[in-house]
Amino acid sequence: MKRISIQAAAVMLGLAAATGAGAQTLDAVKARGNLICGVNEGLEGFASKDASGKWSGFDVDFCRAVAAAVFADASKVQFVPLSTTDRFDALHGGKVDILARNSTWTLSRELDYGLSFVGTTYYDGQGFMVPRARNVNSALELTGSKVCVQKDTTTVRNQADYFDANSMKYDVVLTDSTQDSVDRYKKGECSVVTSDVSQLYAARLGLPDAGEHIILPEVISKEPLGPAVRQDDPKWRDLVQWVHFAMLDAEELGVNQSTLDQAKASTRPAVRRLLGADGDMGQKMGLSKDWVVNVVKQVGNYDEVYERNLGKNSKLGIPRGLNQLWSLGGIQYAPPAE
């Protein structure tokens, strides 16, 4: 019998463990009959619940897209609202299958919590909102300000680094949530709110005099937002990741809810592979051949989800910007589905 080194044996055991773990989440989700998704407790555009209890938002739709891929039914998802404090522990501890809670992808979060971010579904950055009456045109004019910032977020460090780097004095008011920041801002406890720019757009909507508040032009950080899963399940990570990629590829190939029937009859090789007419990529992930058809039909491609929740067809009206496809001047880019 051939001998193997201790190192080689360790690698083989690791691969075996990864293979065994790879199907655990998908099998558990199928056996349970629904996906459990951790989302924001309430953020316009990303995840919010109406008076009837119906959830909507960009992150909500991503979870529904995963449910559509797994079950061919986008409604088979349970949403668990999570705070910034408990969101990563909830995922690591198995309370949710996916965390889709406008969370910034960082190395420390992956290392400290044993998580893997599956991709950047929304490129964001940190900014500042101030009353128009302050006559401030730049964040460099904010010295001496009281700044409301949500604790337990990357926002705290980014804001401190920016002010310190520009030799600006400030007082920080730590808050429990974005809404808490806005409430204190309305009460005059701070004169500046700092958060991801997308959250500032949402926060401004909730102000009775929204037009009297401006979002300054400076973006002081990189905030790649995306869903996360546990590191011990590589096949589940691949599945969730490719739901995002498939929605981008569908947009790039012109496959949307209104063109889907026509696309299913397409002779273009890339379209046929994406929709499962050719190849067996779906089966290899434990899904049906037409899983992308289910995603697009029931939820939409990336453009449809973006514009419905964040863009021109939403209350927020945030331009695509960096979140435009790479071919149209943005940086959203997906590998080909082949």
Side-chain angles (χ1 to χ4, degrees), residues 206-219:
L207 297 173
D209 55 346
E212 297 304 311
H213 303 269
I214 61 172
I215 297 169
L216 297 176
E218 286 85 358
V219 177

Side-chain angles (χ1 to χ4, degrees), residues 182-203:
V182 175
D183 290 342
R184 296 191 182 204
Y185 176 74
K186 287 193 291 187
K187 293 176 183 177
E189 294 180 24
C190 57
S191 56
V192 180
V193 175
T194 184
S195 187
D196 293 351
V197 172
S198 62
Q199 294 191 37
L200 294 178
Y201 271 89

